Amino acid sequence: MLKNMPSAKVLQTFECSARLGSFTLAARELFLTQSAISRQIKGLEETLGFEVFIRDNNRLTLTEEGQVFQQVVSKALSEVSSAVER
């Protein structure tokens, strides 16, 4: 079951990119390069079997599948963060 599970780092990268709508801004927030962000998202899409973003010039838009995945990932990361704080 866990062999296809994306790492927490990749999920955080996805969440940040989705929230900010930019690989460049996500890279700044996560102290990574834009290229590293892009590679992680491409790997995530390969793992999931669908695209999570529509890439249009310098703009990112979530696909329908990406929107659903973003809601789940954001909720899960928020719950983990709350548990750590408790």
Side-chain angles (χ1 to χ4, degrees), residues 1 6 8 11 16 23 25 37 40 48 51 57 61 65 67:
M1 179 173 122
L11 294 176
C16 188
F23 290 161
L25 295 176
I37 299 288
Q40 286 185 31
L48 296 174
E51 291 185 353
N57 293 324
T61 306
E65 295 92 345
Q67 289 175 13

Side-chain angles (χ1 to χ4, degrees), residues 26-42:
R28 287 183 193 152
E29 183 169 309
L30 298 172
F31 302 102
L32 296 169
T33 64
Q34 184 273 343
S35 178
I37 299 288
S38 183
R39 283 192 309 272
Q40 286 185 31
I41 298 301
K42 182 159 181 63

Side-chain angles (χ1 to χ4, degrees), residues 7-8 15 22 26-27 29 33 44 54 60-61 69-70 72 79 84:
S7 71
E15 186 281 328
S22 166
E29 183 169 309
T33 64
L44 174 65
I54 298 168
L60 288 179
T61 306
F69 191 64
Q70 186 264 341
V72 171
E79 289 178 6
V84 170

